[in-house]
Amino acid sequence: MTTETRFGLRLRHLRLERGYSQEKLAELAGLSTDSISNLERGQNVPGLDTVEALRAAFALPIGDFLDYLGHSPAPDPARQRLEDSLLRASRALDLPVLEVAVAQVEALGRLVNKK
């Protein structure tokens, strides 16, 4: 499978997961519906500006958006929804409070992984 095909599948997965039509995603990203369709079918290679516009439309960190390289299966929708909520909530925090929140989440992770 080509990189373009994997990117297209990831794009389609994210779009459907959020309940967006191709038209809605195109509007959010400032692209044409044809561009979204071509990207999802692996017909076009997106430039960096397009990748950034799509990433911003999904409000995802770039690493999460580009997680199409076949490392893991598609994310669990419930988990993805919670991770997205956590990310959105973190954006409202001041830097010192955010540092505490990150430390708490990391501590929870270590606690759970000990068991």
Side-chain angles (χ1 to χ4, degrees), residues 7-57:
F7 180 86
L9 290 172
R10 174 72 172 151
L11 181 61
R12 185 173 194 276
H13 170 80
L14 289 169
R15 178 178 63 77
L16 294 175
E17 180 179 80
R18 286 174 173 66
Y20 295 164
S21 64
Q22 287 184 341
E23 293 80 11
K24 177 67 174 177
L25 179 57
E27 177 185 325
L28 290 171
L31 301 170
S32 72
T33 304
D34 286 341
S35 293
I36 300 297
S37 176
N38 289 336
L39 288 168
E40 286 187 359
R41 290 182 288 121
Q43 300 298 308
N44 287 355
V45 176
L48 292 177
D49 289 341
T50 299
V51 169
E52 174 55 25
L54 291 166
R55 183 217 57 80

Side-chain angles (χ1 to χ4, degrees), residues 64-76:
D64 290 349
F65 178 69
L66 293 176
D67 186 23
Y68 63 91
L69 298 174
H71 306 308
S72 60
D76 173 9

Side-chain angles (χ1 to χ4, degrees), residues 41-102:
R41 290 182 288 121
Q43 300 298 308
N44 287 355
V45 176
L48 292 177
D49 289 341
T50 299
V51 169
E52 174 55 25
L54 291 166
R55 183 217 57 80
F58 289 119
L60 286 173
I62 193 70
D64 290 349
F65 178 69
L66 293 176
D67 186 23
Y68 63 91
L69 298 174
H71 306 308
S72 60
D76 173 9
R79 180 180 183 85
Q80 188 66 48
R81 204 170 31 260
L82 289 170
E83 288 177 356
D84 291 347
S85 294
L86 184 61
L87 177 62
R88 279 192 302 278
S90 73
R91 290 184 177 142
L93 301 176
D94 292 336
L95 187 59
V97 176
L98 181 59
E99 288 173 343
V100 171
V102 168

